[in-house]
């Protein structure tokens, strides 16, 4: 058994190789893709080791776990992303540490985030989470707004004090027409991103791809990949 830092370094190197190979295959520059390490269920000590190994972006999906972890790591040069389904009663806490919220999927959440960000004196970057499997007007099983709802939500974010519209995020659907077709799903997200950027040119982030499908996301044009288990190990079921 090697120690934890050695293990994380080896995993990170493997993920880095995968991203570099995917960029090469797609004719993209490596700098066009940012790695976000999803540290959910893993301790603050791992976040610290990752920062020592050069990681600059981390993501969490539950405020109860994320808030104490972010507090324990507040001395580190990290950008914190919130990627989980977010209840409005957690917003006040989340805007205290999250630089970006990637899971914005309803107008009530925009209102709450705006109020919280203004109260905290912070600017919070927002991504509209897109549910490619949702019916128009509905939300996805794992959160997210249907493609038809992106424009309205994007405009709302762009006009909300304390918030900045940064782009789009998705999780490849497990059901519906895109089930098992990650590349098609991510290409659809790119088209939706192009549409959004017509009205909001600065909303350039496209967050897609996880441990299992980061290659497909890079091939489609993702600017950010969110990788958890390939770096930290397989999570116990509760995460
Ligand atoms: C957990 C999680 C990830 C990372 O998933 P892995 O399969 O562990 O890489 C990415 N995005 C979101 C929204 C997550 O909740």
């Amino acid at each position: 058994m090697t120690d934890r830092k050695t293990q994380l370094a080896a995993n990170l190197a493997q993920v880095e190789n995968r991203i570099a190979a995917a960029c090469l295959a797609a004719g993209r520059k490596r700098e066009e893709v940012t790695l976000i390490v999803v540290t959910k269920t893993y301790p603050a000590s791992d976040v610290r080791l990752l920062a020592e190994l050069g990681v600059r972006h981390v993501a969490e999906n539950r405020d109860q776990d994320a808030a104490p972890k972010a507090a324990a790591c507040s001395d580190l040069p990290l950008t914190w992303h919130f990627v989980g389904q977010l209840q409005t009663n957690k917003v006040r806490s989340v805007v205290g540490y999250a630089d970006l919220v990637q899971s914005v999927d309803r107008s009530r959440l925009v209102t709450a985030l705006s109020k919280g960000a203004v109260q905290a004196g912070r600017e919070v970057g927002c991504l509209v989470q897109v549910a490619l499997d949702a019916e128009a007007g509905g939300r996805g099983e794992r959160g997210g707004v249907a493609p038809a709802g992106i424009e309205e939500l994007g405009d709302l974010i762009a006009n909300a004090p304390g918030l900045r519209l940064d782009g789009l995020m998705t999780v490849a659907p497990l059901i519906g027409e895109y089930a098992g077709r990650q590349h098609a799903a991510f290409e659809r997200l790119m088209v939706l991103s192009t549409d959004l950027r017509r009205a909001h040119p600065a909303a350039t982030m496209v967050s897609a791809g996880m441990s299992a499908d980061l290659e497909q996301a890079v091939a489609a044009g993702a600017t950010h990949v969110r990788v958890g288990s390939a770096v930290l190990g397989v999570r116990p079921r509760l995460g």
Side-chain angles (χ1 to χ4, degrees):
M1 250 323 261
T2 51
D3 76 348
R4 184 63 170 155
K5 189 170 182 180
T6 309
Q7 182 182 37
L8 290 175
N11 292 349
L12 267 178
Q14 246 173 36
V15 167
E16 178 52 41
N17 284 342
R18 288 176 59 191
I19 296 172
C23 285
L24 191 65
R28 302 182 64 196
K29 295 201 190 80
R30 172 62 189 87
E31 311 85 79
E32 292 176 29
V33 180
T34 300
L35 169 65
I36 302 170
V37 178
V38 183
T39 49
K40 64 189 183 194
T41 76
Y42 286 95
S45 55
D46 279 352
V47 177
R48 192 163 287 278
L49 292 174
L50 289 167
E52 288 172 13
L53 292 166
V55 169
R56 290 296 173 261
H57 293 263
V58 294
E60 289 282 331
N61 73 334
R62 287 161 54 101
D63 177 59
Q64 302 91 296
D65 301 333
K69 223 183 282 187
C73 296
S74 62
D75 59 314
L76 301 174
L78 292 169
T79 297
W80 289 79
H81 298 251
F82 191 87
V83 299
Q85 291 191 44
L86 181 52
Q87 304 304 316
T88 50
N89 63 350
K90 304 285 190 204
V91 160
R92 212 182 139 86
S93 170
V94 168
V95 297
Y97 57 86
D99 300 290
L100 288 100
V101 174
Q102 298 203 2
S103 44
V104 180
D105 62 358
R106 59 201 191 280
S107 55
R108 248 169 60 81
L109 185 54
V110 176
T111 309
L113 282 167
S114 174
K115 192 172 158 212
V118 168
Q119 274 173 1
R122 285 169 56 94
E123 183 177 68
V124 177
C126 293
L127 302 189
V128 175
Q129 182 179 347
V130 181
L132 293 167
D133 56 335
E135 303 290 328
R139 287 171 62 215
E141 196 189 6
R142 291 186 285 178
V145 67
I150 295 171
E151 188 182 346
E152 189 185 339
L153 211 51
D155 290 346
L156 204 60
I157 294 166
N159 291 317
L163 304 184
R164 186 181 68 236
L165 177 64
D166 283 342
L168 300 180
M169 180 272 247
T170 203
V171 179
L174 296 171
I175 56 166
E177 65 170 308
Y178 290 110
R181 299 173 60 227
Q182 286 94 331
H183 190 253
F186 298 146
E187 291 209 307
R188 173 88 174 111
L189 186 71
M190 289 307 300
V191 171
L192 297 169
S193 167
T194 303
D195 290 346
L196 180 71
R197 277 177 283 136
R198 271 195 265 279
H200 304 283
T204 55
M205 279 181 69
V206 180
S207 173
M210 318 200 299
S211 293
D213 54 19
L214 71 87
E215 281 84 2
Q216 289 94 327
V218 171
T223 63
H224 291 69
V225 292
R226 309 178 308 269
V227 180
S229 50
V231 172
L232 288 141
V234 175
R235 288 176 297 274
R237 187 60 195 101
L238 60 89

